[in-house]
Amino acid sequence: MKHFRDNAASKSGYGQTRGADNHASTHTTLGATAQAGAQGVALWQQLTGVAMAFQSIRGGQSGTAALAGVDAAIRPGVQALLFQALRQAGRAEALRRQLATRTPPPAADALLCVALALCWNPEEAPYEPFTLVNQAVEAAKNHAATRAQASFINGCLRRFLRERDELVATTDRDPVARWNHPRWWIDRLRKDHPQHWEQILRVNNTHAPMTLRVNRQKSSVAQYLKALDAINLGANAFGEMALTLERPVPVQQLPGFAEGWVSVQDAAAQYAAPLLLQGMDMSQPLRVLDACAAPGGKTAHLLEMASANVRLDVTALEIDATRSTRIDETLARLGLHATVLVADAARPQDWWQQHCGGARFDAILLDAPCTASGIVRRHPDVRWLRRESDIAQLAALQTQLLKALWPLVRPGGRLLYCTCSVFRAEGDGQVQTFLANNTDALLLPSPGHLIPGKGDTNGSVPDNLRGDHDGFFYALLQKSIH
């Protein structure tokens, strides 16, 4: 698929999607069937919306932007089908190449590939393959951009149904078709994680769980499990404040969500706040900076960890003014307060003296912009939008942020560097270079790279990450006193 340069989920500015935080909108549809999201809407209408969004992503839009252009009445069903199509896009394009010697016009190619992605594996197809084929042809006939290719699309799909086993077997030899990731992505994972690269790719093609963080200032895991049981919604608890729902639901259906009882946050992201604060003297007021803070999930978690007699003075930075409003909204729902600044974390000279009085911080959380390679199952468009060159670009930005923020840590204080990436250039490689260039930095016990999925896969997963979690990287750095 065609890559692009300005993915909203991972752009090189600091207003990136904090992929593991606050997935309220995503989870209104994930895990539900496409049928449930579009009652009374013909399947061909949904497929038309999916194909248009698919074509937009090929042209460089993020999945979020592409879906924003879909009629709200059919958007849930379209999103469910689009995500499944994106997870099988490598296979679909390989099959299309077998079926057509020439690439059809963009709109027809998008519709054809969407149909192939959804029906190639009958065991995972959201509808019977024959139904998908019939409705894809109907979609072609009913849209001006594809009407002229309706017969061509019909011929390709009917041939696929007849020759499915042979065509699939042929594409099995193509790693992009088998793993549904760009070849460079597969090669890099094999190099970075020789023992776990296949697991990472498999997990990336599955649905992400809906994990909640219970607000300890308003409830407990035991109390919230009872509230969920009262509405017949099962959940599995793990760690101190985390639980995973047995099935995703819209956040409006969660007991006490509007009142701030819980937040949607992946288990790996929930490790940031306790890791940063563990072992610190909580009897004294602490000055904490959350750099690159939007949408505010980790800022809120830091504040939730403070008891009535512990003072956390938290400053949340966000370079994007529009995204900074999401921090305010998150904190308001939870009844929490932080100083929210629209500022560039890489330019302390613009905000540190003026808004922070030039006082150094006890702790800094740097959830740095990255490729989002650890949250691909939540954003299946990312794999097709990324370029390999983006890794070096973003690694340079991460280096810049570390260099700018380290002087703001007081002696004896700490900085937690994390990314929602599984690429070592954005994790272990970044930190090793930093340690080599900063002799006053000590690496404290840290999880390092967390492999997405379930269980302990790298030998250092903490107890509160025994559940299903995203790919992440954590390094806790302490500044020497002398």
Side-chain angles (χ1 to χ4, degrees), residues 301-324:
H301 196 189
L302 287 165
L303 292 165
E304 288 172 10
M305 293 193 65
S307 59
N309 58 350
V310 173
R311 179 185 168 190
L312 283 185
D313 182 7
V314 178
T315 299
L317 290 184
E318 174 55 46
I319 195 172
D320 186 289
T322 300
R323 284 176 51 78
S324 73

Side-chain angles (χ1 to χ4, degrees), residues 400-424:
Q400 181 184 3
L401 286 164
L402 281 166
K403 183 178 180 180
L405 293 173
W406 186 244
L408 276 56
V409 179
R410 69 162 173 81
R414 55 183 58 175
L415 182 151
L416 177 60
Y417 172 78
C418 57
T419 62
C420 54
S421 175
V422 293
F423 295 144
R424 292 199 177 277

Side-chain angles (χ1 to χ4, degrees), residues 13-16 18 21 272 276 288-299 302 314-320 323 327 339 341 343-348 351 361 363-369 398 400-402 404-406 408-409 415-419:
Y14 313 139
Q16 65 165 23
R18 299 285 286 273
D21 284 351
L276 181 63
V288 181
L289 173 68
D290 184 359
C292 317
K298 296 182 181 68
T299 303
L302 287 165
V314 178
T315 299
L317 290 184
E318 174 55 46
I319 195 172
D320 186 289
R323 284 176 51 78
I327 305 174
T339 300
L341 301 177
D344 186 346
R347 292 182 54 84
W351 52 268
F361 295 95
I364 293 178
L365 170 59
L366 174 56
D367 186 2
Q398 294 152 11
Q400 181 184 3
L401 286 164
L402 281 166
L405 293 173
W406 186 244
L408 276 56
V409 179
L415 182 151
L416 177 60
Y417 172 78
C418 57
T419 62

